[in-house]
Amino acid sequence: MDCQKLAERLLPGKYPALSFYEEKYPPRALGRDAEVTRLAPSPTGFIHLGNLFVAIANERIAHQSGGVMYLRIEDTDDKRRVDGAVEAVKNALRYFSIRFDEGAEIGGDDTYAPWYQRQRAEIYRAFVKDLVARGKAYPCFCTEEELSALREAQTEAKKITGYYGEYARCRNLTEDEIYRNLDAGKPFVIRLKSEGNAEHKLSFRDEIKGDITVTENDQDVVILKSDGIPTYHFAHAIDDHFMRTTLVIRGEEWLASLPIHLELFSVLGFDRPRYGHNCSLMKQDGETRRKLSKRKDPELSLEFYRQEGYFPRAVRVYMLTLLNSNFEEWYRKNPEKPLEEFPFSVRKMGKSGALFDLDKLNDISKNELSCLSAEEMYAFLKEWADEYGSAEEKKYFENRDYLLKVLNLVMGTGGKKRRKDIMTARQSMTLLSYFFRKGNREDAYRTDAKTKDDILNAFLNTYDCNDDAQVWFSKLKEVASSLGFAAEMRDYKADPGAYKGSVSDVAEVLRIATTGRANTPDLWTVMRILGAEETKKRIREEIGT
RNA sequence: GGCCUUGUGGUCAAGAGGUUAAGACGGCGCCCUCUCACGGCGCAAUCCCGGGUUCGAUUCCCGGCAAGGUCACCA
């Protein structure tokens, strides 16, 4: 068989010598320990938590080592392509502070461009052609129907499915048969002529999982599809080589195809990057756990966190705690330090899949948000409201000074007694709403109408907006005891039967009257912010209702 | 089914041949308290199973079992 001739027939035309590409994409001039990492999503437009998870690891490793992190778009499958996807990916990752140094639509050094695989078709073909010429790859004319029939027969016979060994029909086609098929215009793919043996085990050092055993690949995998575009396996080998990637952190769903990748690097004569296979994020689903799924789990979508108004840093912190188990301790000890100073370690990455825990994320969010100054909180909330807030919520931001005051006093931002129960921007809108509208009365009075009016009237008679918190409260106590309520909780608890209730019941009436709710931040503070006029107005409206 | 990976409380997990087996989240209870919140204190809960090695294994070895991943002209 004249392989050279076959290669020319399959991939006609002049391709550069392979050494051309080695020169065009030279090794990077970086320090010895510098890692070159990448994120290589396909442009489906859907970027999820798993992508972010892996992206953070790759980003940390690259930048911590003085290396480079780039964005490559794996668009070899035309069917999955969605317009605007790259922009969406870029924006989502930027929102969560993933910084790329170069790559698709990133700018930066373009020595290793293009970053879209479809634009690299010529490179792949040059190497496929070389493989064919060297007898390491061959054309396959099997149709999809034939292949699925093969698969069924193999399953039936309890054999391993796939295109390998005796089942690789086109592998043994004679020169005549090949050219007859070509002359007939039959579509073909190009397959790797695997030299592996599935009986052979080899040991492999995974950067995360440690030493593992893998089985040699013996599948004649497709490397060039009938549309002339390579499969992922082939494209990634070429790209990671020529983009001079040193370390690939990817999801463990790739572990199974590692043998293919090893053989590909070997037959191409490339040094391969090091690999680390990261556990995937799981979710409890009834009795079992499973990978987070795009269709069933809204919390998988990065968009979910933006809509809910999660503080991006909180998401990042949570990812980091899952990624490196010692991060949480470090963070506790170094709350002031930038996250970038944490010594991220590939070795510390977990080997088993972690359940995604929304409670934990929420807890982290509360802590993160409670650390913000009023100004920072304002900026964060405004950004969220501009995009996702209701028309009414957007109005909260019209009076900046007023809102800052609210933030300061009610949320305790910047102070010592801060609230720590706020997880998201969306949720904090509820808290803010007290100060902008009374809204619907969410909680009903628990006293009878007359008692309620008595309390309200009595309060109005003594109310002075200049009173400090203590005076204000002692006046409230007077109102309480004048109407038969216990002024001190102690007294009430000692003998509940002797009173109509306690100060807390009196305060509750007032609370509902001013805000419509039984649970609010400190009432004195609320009234202070609302101002005397608004407070009185709201209370008067409640009398006689 | 084949192959690979993983197995410490409900969750994330530290850990070492001998420990009262850390810590965090969640749960529960108590205290503080005008409600919410904040804060403080406390409680419950774990080494997948069976062999072996050993004076001693949750830790080392073997075998099970379970869970997850993967078996495309998708990545």
Side-chain angles (χ1 to χ4, degrees):
Chain A
M1 169 104 52
D2 184 346
C3 295
Q4 200 72 45
K5 189 178 132 204
L6 179 59
E8 197 50 49
R9 174 69 191 266
L10 259 18
L11 293 144
K14 184 125 182 70
Y15 285 87
L18 302 187
S19 58
F20 166 80
Y21 294 109
E22 292 291 345
E23 281 158 32
K24 184 172 180 194
Y25 303 115
R28 293 170 183 263
L30 293 169
R32 229 189 78 226
D33 298 324
E35 301 280 15
V36 178
T37 67
R38 40 78 158 181
L39 188 73
S42 50
T44 58
F46 186 81
I47 181 101
H48 57 79
L49 213 58
N51 297 133
L52 181 64
F53 196 49
V54 154
I56 290 175
N58 278 305
E59 189 270 342
R60 279 329 307 141
I61 291 160
H63 292 145
Q64 188 172 275
S65 66
V68 169
M69 160 90 160
Y70 67 85
L71 176 66
R72 180 172 77 219
I73 302 300
E74 313 230 311
D75 55 357
T76 53
D77 184 11
D78 208 30
K79 293 186 287 294
R80 312 210 322 172
R81 204 161 167 190
V82 173
D83 279 342
V86 176
E87 208 49 33
V89 165
K90 228 182 64 184
N91 288 338
L93 291 171
R94 189 172 40 214
Y95 184 72
F96 291 101
S97 314
I98 300 295
R99 208 180 84 237
F100 290 102
D101 302 291
E102 54 191 55
E105 317 302 325
I106 298 296
D109 188 355
D110 261 356
T111 306
Y112 299 93
W115 308 100
Y116 290 82
Q117 290 184 323
R118 288 205 156 242
Q119 295 170 18
R120 304 171 65 79
E122 184 203 72
I123 311 175
Y124 308 128
R125 285 189 202 124
F127 279 86
V128 171
K129 187 171 182 179
D130 177 63
L131 251 28
V132 174
R134 283 159 53 207
K136 303 285 188 190
Y138 62 89
C140 167
F141 302 92
C142 292
T143 62
E144 275 183 51
E145 293 73 40
E146 285 169 325
L147 290 175
S148 49
L150 172 65
R151 203 162 23 242
E152 275 171 40
Q154 285 167 329
T155 309
E156 190 98 347
K158 297 214 190 303
K159 301 279 188 195
I160 292 171
T161 56
Y163 209 79
Y164 63 98
E166 54 178 309
Y167 302 105
R169 271 202 301 134
C170 294
R171 183 181 203 163
N172 302 315
L173 255 29
T174 64
E175 206 158 352
D176 272 357
E177 289 170 314
I178 293 175
Y179 283 101
R180 219 179 305 133
N181 283 331
L182 289 174
D183 290 339
K186 277 198 186 179
F188 63 90
V189 300
I190 296 190
R191 289 183 183 271
L192 173 73
K193 189 181 280 181
S194 174
E195 290 166 15
N197 180 340
E199 303 290 301
H200 292 174
K201 308 278 179 192
L202 40 157
S203 172
F204 177 83
R205 162 64 54 90
D206 185 277
E207 299 296 314
I208 294 172
K209 297 198 179 280
D211 288 322
I212 59 175
T213 62
V214 298
T215 309
E216 244 176 49
N217 173 60
D218 68 345
Q219 296 272 343
D220 285 359
V221 290
V222 173
I223 55 177
L224 199 68
K225 300 188 271 190
S226 55
D227 61 357
I229 298 293
T231 55
Y232 164 81
H233 304 301
F234 192 77
H236 114 274
I238 299 281
D239 292 343
D240 279 333
H241 175 68
F242 286 117
M243 293 177 181
R244 305 296 173 177
T245 313
T246 62
L247 178 62
V248 175
I249 301 294
R250 49 154 48 159
E252 70 180 342
E253 65 270 21
W254 291 107
L255 206 47
S257 41
L258 182 65
I260 298 172
H261 303 160
L262 294 182
E263 182 168 19
L264 249 14
F265 273 100
S266 157
V267 73
L268 286 165
F270 296 159
D271 288 337
R272 57 167 182 80
R274 280 146 38 242
Y275 287 96
H277 291 90
N278 188 212
C279 57
S280 22
L281 258 16
M282 311 290 287
K283 172 164 178 157
Q284 192 70 38
D285 190 9
E287 288 293 289
T288 65
R289 44 177 63 186
R290 43 154 245 260
K291 252 174 92 176
L292 238 18
S293 116
K294 171 163 144 183
R295 286 186 51 194
K296 296 181 190 167
D297 310 310
E299 71 269 36
L300 181 59
S301 162
L302 252 28
E303 186 55 24
F304 169 83
Y305 299 93
R306 296 182 72 167
Q307 278 174 12
E308 286 307 303
Y310 275 93
F311 193 47
R313 181 183 158 107
V315 176
R316 187 176 174 82
V317 166
Y318 178 51
M319 295 281 103
L320 248 13
T321 68
L322 286 181
L323 243 18
N324 262 199
S325 55
N326 54 330
F327 171 77
E328 208 169 354
E329 194 189 344
W330 177 88
Y331 193 38
R332 202 172 292 276
K333 282 186 192 155
N334 303 285
E336 305 299 329
K337 288 192 181 166
L339 261 23
E340 289 66 41
E341 283 185 30
F342 169 70
F344 189 89
S345 146
V346 180
R347 206 152 273 190
K348 281 275 179 189
M349 290 174 72
K351 292 183 184 182
S352 52
L355 275 189
F356 180 75
D357 185 356
L358 199 59
D359 280 331
K360 184 74 178 181
L361 204 216
N362 285 338
D363 179 66
I364 291 171
S365 301
K366 291 174 194 171
N367 284 322
E368 290 296 325
L369 249 22
S370 76
C371 291
L372 297 188
S373 68
E375 295 276 350
E376 290 167 328
M377 189 66 158
Y378 178 90
F380 169 61
L381 293 179
K382 183 168 191 311
E383 193 189 333
W384 180 85
D386 282 348
E387 189 158 2
Y388 302 102
S390 66
E392 188 178 343
E393 284 161 354
K394 286 189 172 76
K395 281 194 196 139
Y396 299 172
F397 298 85
E398 282 169 5
N399 187 339
R400 188 163 184 278
D401 290 341
Y402 180 68
L403 185 50
L404 280 176
K405 207 158 87 182
V406 172
L407 255 19
N408 254 318
L409 291 174
V410 179
M411 294 194 178
T413 44
K416 284 184 208 87
K417 297 267 293 181
R418 34 175 65 124
R419 292 186 80 94
K420 278 198 177 173
D421 59 334
I422 298 162
M423 307 181 292
T424 64
R426 183 184 295 286
Q427 188 201 3
S428 58
M429 291 300 144
T430 309
L431 205 50
L432 295 182
S433 69
Y434 304 143
F435 301 95
F436 295 91
R437 64 176 169 114
K438 213 158 83 179
N440 299 327
R441 192 188 298 160
E442 291 180 1
D443 295 298
Y445 293 108
R446 290 187 299 163
T447 56
D448 56 76
K450 174 161 189 319
T451 309
K452 177 205 69 180
D453 288 351
D454 287 348
I455 290 172
L456 262 22
N457 278 314
F459 177 81
L460 244 24
N461 286 336
T462 67
Y463 178 56
D464 180 342
C465 66
N466 294 316
D467 289 339
D468 67 23
Q470 267 192 321
V471 173
W472 178 89
F473 189 49
S474 54
K475 281 184 173 178
L476 190 68
K477 285 178 178 175
E478 281 167 30
V479 169
S481 44
S482 74
L483 293 169
F485 288 81
E488 303 292 338
M489 281 305 288
R490 225 170 286 118
D491 297 341
Y492 178 70
K493 279 184 182 166
D495 186 7
Y499 304 95
K500 285 164 93 171
S502 70
V503 248
S504 87
D505 298 306
V506 175
E508 183 179 292
V509 169
L510 229 35
R511 209 179 295 281
I512 295 173
T514 45
T515 68
R517 284 161 249 231
N519 296 329
T520 72
D522 175 70
L523 233 203
W524 174 77
T525 309
V526 171
M527 290 183 175
R528 273 295 283 260
I529 296 173
L530 287 175
E533 287 318 302
E534 180 68 15
T535 301
K536 286 182 192 163
K537 184 174 147 252
R538 289 185 179 190
I539 292 175
R540 280 195 203 105
E541 282 171 2
E542 291 297 306
I543 295 172
T545 56

